[in-house]
Amino acid sequence: RERVDELLDLVGIADAAERVVRGYSGGMKRRLDVALGLVHRPRVVFLDEPTTGLDPEARAGMWEELGRIAAQEALTILLTTHYLEEADHLANRLAILSRGTVVVEGTPDSLKRSLEGDSVTVELSDGQVQNARDVIAQLNGVREVRAEGRLLRIRVESGARAIPQILSALERSGISVDAVDSRRPSLDDVYLHYTGRDFHSEDEAAE
């Protein structure tokens, strides 16, 4: 009983200890699942998509709990997730799987650094995606161009230098742009680079 009370407190549901589990919220049930996995003081815990179905606030709370539990219980947690931001937030090391095969692994930061430069996204006003892709691919400093519907995802040496060039080249070609932005590479970019497919599109197809 002492271990049960300790774990319920650890995962933040001690106040609901006397309640019937079927009355728990989705987030509380996920926390209870984690507590059950810790009863016998394992050194390694496997968690299969522990935040699936939770709202953003509950998901963030679970992230905080998992980090605290890992430190307090001296655990190694092997976690599968369909949320790349979750992997970025929680993982010391991660492996990206595509169609059952590990395509790349490393720390989140090292994987993002492997994509040198910036990521630029251009949203086109019309359907001239292939023309726009061909125009942009010829510009100096452009390393990669991928099309997703009306979006072009472009890896460049410098977003600040590339965006004026890109917009000017598209304007000269008569191609209209709705929006453009630049940022440092994310795990979404890493996934796209190493698998050749958009993470969210593949996730939806798998479902």
Side-chain angles (χ1 to χ4, degrees):
R1 177 65 188 187
E2 181 179 347
R3 178 61 172 165
V4 171
D5 291 341
E6 176 188 354
L7 290 174
L8 291 178
D9 184 61
L10 184 64
V11 299
I13 56 173
D15 291 344
E18 303 303 323
R19 289 172 51 186
V20 178
V21 173
R22 66 171 174 266
Y24 281 14
S25 67
M28 293 171 69
K29 289 178 180 177
R30 295 286 184 179
R31 290 168 187 255
L32 180 60
D33 287 340
V34 173
L36 289 171
L38 299 176
V39 169
H40 299 295
R41 302 182 188 275
R43 297 176 62 184
V44 179
V45 172
F46 293 84
L47 298 178
D48 184 20
E49 302 185 21
T51 64
T52 296
L54 301 185
D55 61 50
E57 183 178 358
R59 187 178 304 140
M62 179 64 82
W63 292 355
E64 183 177 344
E65 293 292 342
L66 290 176
R68 186 167 60 84
I69 289 168
Q72 190 166 329
E73 294 280 311
L75 283 174
T76 295
I77 296 178
L78 299 180
L79 178 146
T80 64
T81 181
H82 280 73
Y83 300 113
L84 289 177
E85 70 272 23
E86 181 166 271
D88 201 357
H89 184 86
L90 291 176
N92 294 320
R93 290 188 63 82
L94 63 87
I96 292 178
L97 283 80
S98 177
R99 297 177 178 173
T101 300
V102 175
V103 293
V104 68
E105 59 181 300
T107 67
D109 284 343
S110 70
L111 292 177
K112 287 182 285 188
R113 283 198 304 270
S114 73
L115 303 185
E116 298 177 354
D118 294 329
S119 176
V120 173
T121 301
V122 174
E123 182 179 355
L124 302 175
S125 303
D126 49 38
Q128 299 188 60
V129 176
Q130 188 57 54
N131 289 342
R133 183 176 181 176
D134 292 342
V135 167
I136 293 171
Q138 298 176 34
L139 299 176
N140 290 332
V142 172
R143 296 175 173 173
E144 184 178 29
V145 185
R146 294 182 182 271
E148 299 172 21
R150 292 194 300 119
L151 295 181
L152 291 174
R153 300 194 185 279
I154 310 153
R155 283 207 305 121
V156 298
E157 293 176 2
S158 167
R161 291 196 300 268
I163 286 177
Q165 284 185 301
I166 290 170
L167 293 178
S168 178
L170 292 176
E171 184 179 9
R172 288 195 303 271
S173 300
I175 300 172
S176 300
V177 172
D178 277 345
V180 60
D181 69 27
S182 175
R183 55 181 170 74
R184 300 298 296 167
S186 66
L187 285 184
D188 289 271
D189 298 310
V190 172
Y191 189 93
L192 181 63
H193 175 72
Y194 285 103
T195 68
R197 292 178 301 281
D198 175 66
F199 178 81
H200 301 289
S201 297
E202 180 169 295
D203 189 26
E204 290 169 2
E207 293 176 355

